[in-house]
């Protein structure tokens, strides 16, 4: 029986395969809808809208006036913008090494046969699930120059404590301490999972070869922990660029603007000065910076991250 020419058969096969792909795409879209719909409504649409606002002069009340890229040019020429990025980078430079080293130390300690280690793990992780407002208020009290616990303890050993969040020199270190304390548990959990994934036979082989504890840590633990370290560094950097809650509660960007970070400036431009266009433009500048830093990290991981 003649079933048609090869061209017609290929056309029918193409239509049939196209229909299968459409049905498959429809099924996938159906299962992803509970996530895709909120993602589109509350993330993608606001992002596109903010880019549109960034091209306008708008005070949230009067109609928007299109200004093109003028907001971006104004921000890049403004010294306050560069100061905010500088403060943000200063925060990251202090926060990231501190939270990683403390988290690694806690993970190494809790990876041993320590009595009550589950209690310690829960205690370290408790601040992670605590509201930032609560944590910031707690550390604002602990670091209070007049009646804070930290200065009281320093006074017992004859040390005159600094002004902490009331002193422009010590305000950012105060925020860094609070941030590292809160995020310590998150870093610890990730690194602890990485430590437990390292095969014990490798340590046994290193001991047989005469490797010391430091050599085992340097040549076995650190290389095989690098995937977890990479994840922690990427997430911590992204969070560091978006630091806001602790700054807003503890210092409000002061004193004398010493803790004015980028997100704090975005908030001030929008709700204090009514410059929504400038705030949206600054948000996109921050997005570009975070994207570039993340891409550099992802591309550079092959040089130091060991997955084998």
């Amino acid at each position: 029986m003649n079933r048609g020419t090869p061209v017609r058969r290929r056309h029918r096969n193409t239509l049939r395969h196209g229909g299968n792909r459409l049905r498959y795409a429809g099924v996938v879209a159906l299962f992803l809808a509970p996530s895709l719909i909120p993602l589109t409504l509350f993330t993608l649409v606001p992002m596109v809208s903010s880019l549109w606002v960034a091209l306008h002069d708008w005070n949230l009340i009067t109609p928007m006036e299109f200004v093109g890229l003028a907001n971006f040019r104004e921000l890049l020429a403004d010294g306050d913008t560069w100061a905010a990025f500088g403060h943000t980078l200063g925060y990251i430079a202090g926060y990231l090494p501190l939270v990683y080293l403390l988290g690694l130390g806690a993970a190494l300690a809790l990876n041993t046969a320590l009595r009550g280690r589950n209690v310690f793990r829960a205690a370290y992780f408790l601040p992670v699930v605590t509201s930032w407002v609560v944590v910031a208020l707690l550390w604002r009290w602990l670091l209070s120059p007049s009646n804070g616990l930290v200065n009281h303890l320093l006074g017992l050993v004859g040390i005159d404590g600094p002004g902490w969040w009331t002193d422009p020199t010590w305000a950012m270190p105060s925020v860094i301490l609070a941030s590292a304390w809160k995020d310590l548990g998150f870093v610890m959990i990730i690194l602890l999972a990485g430590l437990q994934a390292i095969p014990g036979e490798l340590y046994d082989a290193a001991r047989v070869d005469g490797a010391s504890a430091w050599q085992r840590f340097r040549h076995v633990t650190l290389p095989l922990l690098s995937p977890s370290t990479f994840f922690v560094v990427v997430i911590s950097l992204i969070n560091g660029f978006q630091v806001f809650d602790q700054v807003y509660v503890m210092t409000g960007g002061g004193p004398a603007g010493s803790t004015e970070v980028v997100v704090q400036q975005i908030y001030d431009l929008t709700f204090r000065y009514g410059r929504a266009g400038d705030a949206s433009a600054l948000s996109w500048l921050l997005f570009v910076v975070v994207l570039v830093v993340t891409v550099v990290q992802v591309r550079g991981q092959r040089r130091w991250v060991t997955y084998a």
Side-chain angles (χ1 to χ4, degrees):
M1 180 178 179
N2 185 13
R3 296 184 179 180
T5 64
V7 174
R8 291 181 178 178
R9 287 199 299 271
R10 285 198 300 271
H11 180 65
R12 287 197 297 267
N13 291 336
T14 301
L15 292 177
R16 184 168 60 252
H17 292 159
N20 291 337
R21 286 196 294 268
L22 287 176
R23 285 193 296 270
Y24 177 76
V27 172
V28 171
L30 179 64
F31 279 96
L32 291 180
S35 298
L36 284 178
I37 293 175
L39 176 67
T40 301
L41 292 178
F42 301 112
T43 301
L44 298 181
V45 171
M47 285 183 65
V48 175
S49 300
S50 69
L51 181 58
W52 178 248
V53 173
L55 301 176
H56 293 76
D57 183 13
W58 188 36
N59 61 4
L60 300 176
I61 300 176
T62 60
M64 293 189 295
E65 178 184 352
F66 185 80
V67 294
L69 299 177
N71 289 331
F72 292 93
R73 290 193 295 267
E74 180 181 348
L75 288 171
L76 292 175
D78 190 350
D80 291 339
T81 302
W82 295 105
F85 273 103
H87 295 154
T88 304
L89 292 175
Y91 166 83
I92 294 173
Y95 161 79
L96 185 57
L98 181 62
V99 74
Y100 178 79
L101 292 177
L102 291 177
L104 178 59
L108 290 171
L110 296 179
N111 194 42
T112 61
L114 181 68
R115 179 177 297 181
R117 61 181 178 179
N118 290 333
V119 176
F120 286 107
R121 290 175 182 176
Y124 278 120
F125 195 76
L126 183 61
V128 178
V129 296
T130 304
S131 168
W132 248 123
V133 175
V134 174
V135 172
L137 288 175
L138 171 64
W139 276 90
R140 183 180 170 93
W141 169 73
L142 288 173
L143 299 176
S144 175
S146 56
N147 56 4
L149 180 61
V150 173
N151 276 3
H152 174 71
L153 295 176
L154 292 175
L156 294 179
V157 294
I159 299 177
D160 188 15
W164 296 112
W165 47 267
T166 64
D167 186 342
T169 303
W170 287 92
M172 187 59 78
S174 302
V175 175
I176 291 172
L177 283 175
S179 303
W181 181 80
K182 186 181 189 306
D183 296 338
L184 167 62
F186 171 77
V187 176
M188 178 203 70
I189 289 295
I190 300 299
L191 295 181
L192 182 60
L195 288 173
Q196 294 179 345
I198 299 176
E201 305 85 55
L202 297 179
Y203 291 107
D204 295 335
R207 291 189 186 94
V208 171
D209 290 339
S212 63
W214 166 249
Q215 290 173 328
R216 293 195 300 272
F217 175 75
R218 179 181 177 185
H219 298 290
V220 178
T221 302
L222 286 182
L224 296 183
L225 195 61
S226 56
S228 300
T229 298
F230 172 70
F231 176 79
V232 165
V233 170
V234 171
I235 296 299
S236 298
L237 272 174
I238 293 174
N239 292 335
F241 276 108
Q242 300 178 86
V243 57
F244 171 70
D245 305 64
Q246 54 271 50
V247 172
Y248 182 77
V249 176
M250 291 183 67
T251 67
S258 59
T259 58
E260 179 83 11
V261 292
V262 177
V263 179
Q264 173 78 41
Q265 192 174 62
I266 293 172
Y267 174 87
D268 289 341
L269 286 172
T270 304
F271 299 107
R272 292 183 61 183
Y273 307 121
R275 296 165 55 188
D278 290 330
S280 297
L282 184 55
S283 300
W284 275 91
L285 289 178
L286 178 62
F287 170 76
V288 170
V289 171
V290 173
L291 179 63
V292 170
V293 171
T294 304
V295 169
V296 170
Q297 292 180 89
V298 172
R299 292 181 63 87
Q301 66 170 314
R302 65 192 67 177
R303 296 185 178 183
W304 63 278
V305 178
T306 302
Y307 289 101

